[in-house]
Amino acid sequence: MRTAFIGSNSLTLSAASLLLEDGHQVVIIERHRERIEELSERFDCGFIHGDGTSPDVLRDAEPENTHVLFCLLESDQTNILAGLIGRSLGFARVVPRVNDPQFQRICAELGLADSVMPNRAVALHLREILRGEQSLELSTVIRGDAAVLSFILGEDDAGPIDELGLADRARVVGLYRDEQFHLPRARQKLQAGDEVILITYRDEAERLRERWGGG
């Protein structure tokens, strides 16, 4: 699998190292040439010199041949912009990093379904340690053909859950309303703006993403 990263901070380098260990192809887009010269001695991967939010630079990363574009810079706004540009250029999948929860919601509304919040993930894990609880990563319990996705409900879909018209192979497992998590009840009435979480089969997930503009 071929992956591209924008920037070369510690998160990028940690992820790139793991992917290289697994035999994946990695390309790092970095705006500072001296940084590229330094990293080229440590990482057996490709490098592109330039601004990762520039369409011309992203085209050099060969969107048609790249499975995932990771946008892991420190700025949420820059990552979202780079993700949108990357998607428009044809990258099969874009993963923007966000730190502010309000930007994660915006990512969902823009169809950037794979946004990640590493700071929050680490913070939650530390909280579980202090509580004396064992934290489970989602990837350890969602395996095989299962997939989880979320979408922001529009006006047309507001109403009872069982009127969403979901296939038998998809279930609503939770929702966020005004940043508060709720477990769905029978005949739960959904409102426009709710973030609905579904579990389904992987082959069904793509159809659902198309229905809700990216999931």
Side-chain angles (χ1 to χ4, degrees):
M1 183 176 291
R2 189 175 191 272
T3 61
F5 291 85
I6 296 176
S8 60
N9 57 25
S10 59
L11 179 58
T12 288
L13 299 183
S14 295
S17 295
L18 293 175
L19 293 177
L20 289 169
E21 287 177 7
D22 288 344
H24 298 293
Q25 290 182 290
V26 172
V27 174
I28 296 177
I29 302 169
E30 169 57 49
R31 64 192 312 168
H32 299 294
R33 191 175 296 279
E34 60 273 17
R35 177 68 166 163
I36 292 177
E37 294 174 356
E38 172 197 346
L39 293 175
S40 62
E41 299 179 359
R42 298 165 47 196
F43 291 86
D44 184 18
C45 65
F47 292 93
I48 295 174
H49 177 234
D51 184 345
T53 61
S54 166
D56 287 341
V57 172
L58 287 177
R59 286 190 187 95
D60 289 340
E62 302 179 19
E64 67 281 4
N65 297 320
T66 303
H67 295 85
V68 186
L69 172 67
F70 291 101
C71 311
L72 305 181
L73 298 170
E74 302 298 330
S75 167
D76 292 357
Q77 295 94 321
T78 302
N79 290 330
I80 292 172
L81 175 61
L84 291 173
I85 294 172
R87 187 177 64 182
S88 72
L89 293 176
F91 284 94
R93 191 175 185 184
V94 295
V95 180
R97 166 190 176 178
V98 293
N99 297 308
D100 190 327
Q102 67 179 333
F103 284 115
Q104 187 179 45
R105 185 177 184 85
I106 289 173
C107 282
E109 293 173 348
L110 292 173
L112 298 173
D114 292 316
S115 63
V116 294
M117 295 184 67
N119 290 355
R120 179 170 174 79
V122 172
L124 290 173
H125 181 65
L126 294 176
R127 185 182 69 178
E128 299 306 315
I129 290 176
L130 289 176
R131 288 177 172 178
E133 300 174 3
Q134 183 176 2
S135 178
L136 282 177
E137 294 291 339
L138 186 62
S139 60
T140 67
V141 293
I142 303 298
R143 300 185 298 274
D145 292 333
V148 172
L149 65 153
S150 68
F151 63 90
I152 303 298
L153 203 70
E155 294 284 352
D156 293 342
D157 288 316
I161 285 179
D162 57 6
E163 293 181 10
L164 275 178
L166 297 174
D168 290 338
R169 304 170 78 234
R171 297 285 186 276
V172 175
V173 294
L175 66 95
Y176 283 92
R177 179 177 295 163
D178 299 325
E179 303 301 328
Q180 297 295 316
F181 177 73
H182 301 272
L183 288 172
R185 304 184 305 274
R187 296 292 295 172
Q188 172 90 45
K189 288 189 176 181
L190 302 175
Q191 301 175 8
D194 286 351
E195 181 179 358
V196 178
I197 305 168
L198 297 173
I199 186 167
T200 185
Y201 291 83
R202 292 191 181 277
D203 57 355
E204 183 69 19
E206 187 57 35
R207 189 187 68 80
L208 292 171
R209 289 192 183 99
E210 292 175 359
R211 173 179 174 181
W212 279 292

